[in-house]
């Protein structure tokens, strides 16, 4: 009896271990429930090492354990669940290098206890096949696109149309995950969850399903799912920016920029905890950044956007054929022709790789069956690449040799000067011309820098004038509703990049600008400021045109310099030959 009691207490401690570790992370201080839920589930995913298992490996594990042939409502006991998890993590260790091996027993114990606590809270010791598939396919690693495609293959009929009853069953199972991490009040299942995802559509195909679940924002009940994947992508992203609250000189993860307070940025930790300072308020609208772009890239982005050269944005996912897809359980790869086990594994890997390549290229045709043709084509491509690399190496060596010869020929020696003093004078003239061209280039670069400073000053003046006019009329042009009537907290706008305005204005921002622009800003009450700014832009455009002409003249000067140097080398060669013909032997 004592032994059984100790085993029972040990089992209870193991069941609570993951939840105790999660509470120690203090995720509850995060004020927004979406981020709170995503952080908790991301912690469970990493603690159980599920982030190392790709969704395709998970599908293969389902097939190997015979789950693809079972009905979704079939039940499996805890012991078989443990066997399935064991095969998943042991296969994972085979794929990992020896320096990155995981503790298989610990991962199995933590994940098994979490699944049982989530899907068998009443202690029946059983759970359905569909519940286990939905949970593992959602919590494993990989792209969200691949996960949603697999889920759609499980809830659609033979015609490729989603069955609403199966989607409702999927929501029942997947929304038990937020409930398991104590976020049920925010993202628990309700009877209206299906219609909130698809309020009007009656016939849901794969592309419509992906459009809805990968939209920005996604359905409210699943808004934590894409955020969990974004968290995984930005964990190691570095932002060389100072946080306006904690004054940390660098940020890791997400970066948040206020849309009302100029230059006000918060790190991930401060924004999640609702910190604010100065005129900034938590009710202000914030934009979420998952990457960092240097000011040079931002300037080029702004110029390209102003000139209409920006490429059309890519869709959130590739467009798939409307025909019904074969269920992604990899069951068709089990029919193997070779009796040898090693040959079977090789054929399985080859067919699996061929299918992945076909899906990545969005081809509507079946994957090729003659793999030897692909192997021959790859071999020819590798040979061609090797030949091109050899030719490139030879060309670089030839360029280096010609460069050395050019430097040696361009350096005047005492012997050349004694043979022909005129040549030395020409070389000095060429060098003087080169120095002059370099000075002109420096002057042009300085003029370009001054123009950019003037443009920044004009932008700053325009912004200040608009703020003054708005203050006089009693409305702010930059104010925007921070949250809707149904939300009490402002949700950040996700963006991968954003433009920036200069934070410093030079003292004499109008120095060097045309007379029209000076007249526009010299009056006490300015005229139509937008028309004046257009005049200034025309002036800057004319100045840039003159700079381009100057650059062309510099290029012509460089070509003339190269021609003179070539003529100088020919003269040196002629002098050498003439000296040899007219020289007489000395006795």
């Amino acid at each position: 009896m004592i032994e059984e009691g100790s085993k029972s207490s040990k089992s209870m401690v193991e069941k609570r271990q993951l939840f105790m570790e999660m509470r120690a992370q203090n995720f509850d201080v995060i004020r927004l429930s979406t981020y709170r839920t995503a952080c908790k589930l991301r912690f469970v995913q990493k603690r159980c090492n599920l982030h190392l298992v790709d969704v395709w490996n998970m599908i293969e594990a389902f097939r190997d354990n015979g789950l693809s042939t079972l009905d979704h409502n079939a039940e499996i006991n805890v012991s078989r669940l443990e066997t399935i998890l064991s095969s998943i993590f042991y296969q994972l260790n085979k794929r990992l290098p020896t320096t990155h091996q995981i503790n298989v027993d610990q991962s199995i114990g933590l994940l098994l206890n979490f699944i049982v606590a989530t899907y068998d809270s009443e202690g029946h010791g059983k759970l359905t096949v569909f519940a286990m598939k939905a949970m593992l396919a959602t919590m494993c690693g990989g792209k969200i696109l691949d996960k949603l495609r697999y889920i759609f293959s499980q809830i659609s009929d033979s015609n490729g149309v989603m069955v609403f009853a199966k989607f409702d069953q999927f929501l029942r199972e997947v929304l038990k995950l937020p409930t398991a991490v104590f976020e049920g009040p925010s993202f628990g299942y309700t009877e209206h969850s299906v219609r909130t995802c698809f309020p009007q559509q009656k016939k849901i195909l794969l592309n419509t399903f992906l459009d809805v679940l990968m939209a920005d924002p996604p359905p409210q009940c699943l808004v934590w799912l894409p955020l969990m994947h974004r968290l995984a992508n930005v964990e190691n992203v570095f932002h060389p920016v100072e946080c306006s609250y904690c004054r940390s000189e660098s940020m890791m993860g997400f970066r948040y920029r206020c849309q009302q307070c100029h230059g006000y940025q918060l790190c991930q930790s401060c924004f999640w905890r609702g910190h604010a300072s100065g005129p900034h308020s938590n009710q202000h609208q914030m934009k979420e950044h998952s990457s960092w772009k240097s000011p040079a890239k931002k300037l080029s982005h702004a110029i390209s956007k102003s000139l209409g050269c920006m490429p059309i944005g890519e869709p959130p996912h590739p467009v798939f054929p409307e025909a019904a897809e074969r269920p992604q359980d990899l069951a068709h790869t089990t029919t193997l022709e070779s009796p040898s086990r090693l040959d079977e594994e090789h054929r399985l890997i080859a067919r699996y790789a061929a299918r992945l390549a076909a899906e990545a290229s969005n081809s509507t045709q079946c994957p090729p069956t003659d793999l030897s043709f692909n192997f021959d084509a790859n071999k020819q491509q590798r040979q061609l690449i090797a030949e091109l690399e050899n030719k490139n190496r030879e060309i670089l060596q030839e360029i280096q040799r010609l460069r050395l010869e050019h430097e040696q020929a361009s350096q005047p020696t005492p012997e050349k000067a004694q043979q022909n003093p005129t040549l030395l004078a020409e070389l000095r003239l060429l060098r003087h011309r080169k120095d002059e061209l370099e000075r002109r280039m420096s002057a042009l670069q300085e003029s370009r820098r001054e123009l950019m400073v003037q443009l920044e000053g004009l932008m700053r003046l325009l912004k200040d004038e608009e703020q003054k006019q708005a203050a006089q009329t009693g409305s702010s042009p930059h104010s925007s509703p921070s949250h809707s009537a149904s939300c009490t907290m402002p949700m950040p706008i996700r963006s991968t990049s954003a433009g920036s305005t200069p934070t410093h204005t030079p003292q004499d921002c109008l120095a060097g600008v045309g007379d029209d622009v000076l007249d526009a800003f010299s009056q006490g009450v300015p005229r139509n400021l937008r028309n004046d700014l257009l005049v200034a832009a025309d002036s800057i455009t004319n100045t840039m045109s003159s700079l381009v002409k100057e650059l062309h003249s510099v290029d012509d000067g460089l070509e003339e310099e190269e021609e003179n140097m070539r003529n100088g080398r020919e003269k040196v060669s002629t002098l050498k030959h003439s000296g040899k013909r007219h020289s007489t032997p000395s006795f």
Side-chain angles (χ1 to χ4, degrees):
M1 295 292 294
I2 298 177
E3 237 177 81
E4 292 179 0
S6 62
K7 287 183 179 179
S8 177
S9 61
K10 182 179 180 182
S11 177
M12 291 297 295
V13 171
E14 290 178 351
K15 288 182 179 180
R16 296 177 181 177
Q17 178 182 355
L18 184 63
F19 295 100
M20 290 188 296
E21 293 179 2
M22 184 179 66
R23 288 184 181 276
Q25 300 295 320
N26 201 19
F27 291 123
D28 291 330
V29 300
I30 301 176
R31 64 189 182 101
L32 298 176
S33 60
T34 305
Y35 288 91
R36 211 167 46 238
T37 306
C39 288
K40 290 180 178 180
L41 292 177
R42 175 62 178 168
F43 172 80
V44 173
Q45 183 190 49
K46 294 181 66 177
R47 188 66 182 85
C48 297
N49 290 316
L50 275 176
H51 67 296
L52 302 176
V53 183
D54 190 79
V55 61
W56 296 106
N57 299 125
M58 192 65 71
I59 297 172
E60 186 177 4
F62 295 158
R63 177 190 60 79
D64 291 341
N65 287 276
L67 299 179
S68 302
T69 58
L70 296 178
D71 186 78
H72 283 176
N73 297 323
E75 293 183 340
I76 59 175
N77 53 29
V78 177
S79 61
R80 185 172 181 185
L81 175 61
E82 186 175 3
T83 303
I84 296 172
L85 298 182
S86 300
S87 66
I88 292 173
F89 286 112
Y90 277 113
Q91 289 296 326
L92 172 62
N93 251 0
K94 290 181 180 179
R95 294 189 298 268
L96 294 176
T98 55
T99 56
H100 292 76
Q101 298 287 300
I102 65 171
N103 189 334
V104 174
D105 295 334
Q106 185 183 40
S107 300
I108 294 173
L110 291 175
L111 183 56
L112 180 64
N113 292 326
F114 179 75
I115 294 177
V116 171
T118 304
Y119 294 97
D120 188 29
S121 57
E122 297 181 358
H124 296 303
K126 293 182 179 181
L127 69 158
T128 63
V129 172
F130 186 73
M132 190 194 63
K133 283 185 176 182
M135 183 272 172
L136 293 178
T138 303
M139 292 295 293
C140 68
K143 299 179 180 179
I144 187 174
L145 174 64
D146 297 332
K147 294 182 180 182
L148 294 178
R149 287 187 62 196
Y150 171 72
I151 292 169
F152 185 82
S153 70
Q154 301 297 307
I155 62 175
S156 58
D157 58 16
S158 58
N159 297 321
V161 180
M162 188 190 77
V163 180
F164 277 89
K166 291 184 177 180
F167 180 67
D168 181 74
Q169 185 181 2
F170 166 73
L171 288 181
R172 286 177 184 269
E173 304 300 343
V174 79
L175 291 180
K176 290 180 181 178
L177 293 172
T179 304
V181 293
F182 315 107
E183 296 295 337
S186 300
F187 300 105
Y189 172 81
T190 62
E191 296 179 355
H192 306 288
S193 297
V194 176
R195 284 303 170 187
T196 57
C197 297
F198 303 99
Q200 298 177 352
Q201 298 91 336
K202 295 182 179 179
K203 184 178 179 181
I204 308 300
L205 300 176
L206 174 60
N207 292 315
T208 306
F209 181 79
L210 296 177
D211 288 339
V212 172
L213 296 190
M214 297 183 67
D216 187 14
Q220 180 62 28
C221 61
L222 295 174
V223 69
W224 52 269
L225 181 58
L227 179 58
M228 185 177 69
H229 288 78
R230 297 207 311 272
L231 280 174
N233 295 331
V234 302
E235 283 182 347
N236 298 319
V237 174
F238 174 76
H239 304 269
V241 183
E242 182 182 19
C243 177
S244 300
Y245 183 84
C246 67
R247 299 302 176 185
S248 175
E249 296 182 356
S250 60
M251 303 181 188
M252 294 293 293
F254 287 120
R255 173 171 56 93
Y256 298 89
R257 187 182 185 91
C258 182
Q259 301 299 289
Q260 294 181 231
C261 304
H262 176 69
Y264 194 91
Q265 301 189 78
L266 291 176
C267 65
Q268 175 177 284
S269 177
C270 292
F271 174 77
W272 287 357
R273 286 158 176 77
H275 294 161
S277 60
H280 178 70
S281 170
N282 289 332
Q283 301 302 319
H284 289 182
Q285 195 174 23
M286 304 290 286
K287 181 174 287 188
E288 180 183 279
H289 296 264
S290 58
S291 63
W292 163 257
K293 286 188 177 181
S294 62
K297 288 185 179 180
K298 290 180 180 179
L299 178 60
S300 63
H301 176 84
I303 294 176
S304 300
K305 186 175 181 180
S306 63
L307 296 178
C309 301
M310 293 298 297
I312 300 175
E314 296 183 357
H317 65 84
V319 180
F320 296 96
E322 296 295 342
E325 283 193 336
R326 180 181 295 181
Q328 298 180 13
D329 54 8
L330 304 182
H332 61 286
T333 59
T334 59
T335 304
L336 302 172
E337 299 175 358
S338 174
S340 172
R341 177 62 180 171
L342 184 60
D343 292 341
E344 289 179 359
E345 292 181 355
H346 289 173
R347 288 176 180 271
L348 174 61
I349 294 172
R351 293 183 183 182
Y352 183 41
R355 180 178 181 185
L356 289 180
E359 290 177 351
S361 60
N362 300 327
S363 175
T364 58
Q365 300 178 354
C366 296
T369 57
D370 189 8
L371 297 179
S372 61
F373 174 76
N374 291 337
F375 294 153
D376 294 339
N378 292 336
K379 184 177 180 181
Q380 293 176 0
Q381 291 177 358
R382 288 194 297 268
Q383 292 176 353
L384 179 60
I385 291 173
E387 293 176 0
L388 292 176
E389 288 179 350
N390 293 332
K391 289 182 180 179
N392 184 40
R393 196 178 299 110
E394 294 176 359
I395 291 173
L396 291 176
Q397 293 176 356
E398 183 68 16
I399 291 174
Q400 185 66 20
R401 185 182 63 81
L402 292 175
R403 186 177 297 167
L404 293 175
E405 291 182 357
H406 174 71
E407 292 178 356
Q408 293 176 359
S410 62
Q411 293 179 357
T413 59
E415 296 179 357
K416 295 179 182 179
Q418 293 176 1
Q419 292 174 359
N420 191 357
T422 306
L423 177 61
L424 181 60
E426 291 181 357
L427 291 176
R428 289 176 178 173
L429 181 61
L430 290 174
R431 184 174 296 176
H432 178 72
R433 175 62 175 167
K434 178 183 177 182
D435 296 338
E436 182 181 355
L437 290 174
E438 290 179 351
R439 288 193 297 271
R440 292 179 63 187
M441 179 64 73
S442 300
L444 290 174
Q445 292 178 352
E446 182 64 23
S447 300
R448 179 180 177 276
R449 188 191 66 79
E450 293 176 357
L451 284 174
M452 296 305 297
V453 172
Q454 294 171 11
L455 181 59
E456 291 179 356
L458 291 174
M459 293 171 63
R460 183 66 177 175
L461 287 175
L462 178 59
K463 182 177 179 181
D464 294 340
E465 186 62 25
E466 290 178 351
Q467 292 179 351
K468 291 179 180 179
Q469 293 177 359
Q472 293 175 358
T473 57
S475 62
S476 175
H478 297 287
S479 61
S480 59
S482 60
H483 60 285
S484 61
S486 60
C487 299
T488 58
M489 293 294 180
M491 291 301 296
I493 302 175
R494 180 167 60 89
S495 174
T496 55
S497 62
S500 61
T501 57
T503 55
H504 300 283
T505 305
Q507 296 294 331
D508 191 7
C509 60
L510 297 179
V513 184
D515 296 337
D516 294 333
V517 179
L518 292 175
D519 294 338
F521 293 95
S522 61
Q523 301 177 7
V525 178
R527 312 183 303 226
N528 189 341
L529 198 53
R530 296 185 179 274
N531 294 336
D532 294 335
L533 186 57
L534 291 175
V535 173
D538 292 338
S539 176
I540 293 176
T541 303
N542 295 332
T543 307
M544 292 299 293
S545 300
S546 64
L547 287 177
V548 172
K549 293 179 181 179
E550 290 291 337
L551 290 175
H552 282 303
S553 65
V554 170
D555 293 337
D556 295 339
L558 291 175
E559 292 179 358
E560 181 181 354
E561 178 187 355
E562 292 179 356
E563 184 66 25
N564 292 334
M565 294 180 70
R566 193 180 300 109
N567 294 334
R569 289 197 299 270
E570 292 176 357
K571 289 180 180 180
V572 171
S573 178
T574 304
L575 289 174
K576 285 183 178 179
H577 289 294
S578 62
K580 290 180 180 179
R581 287 196 301 268
H582 294 287
S583 62
T584 56
S586 59
F587 297 95

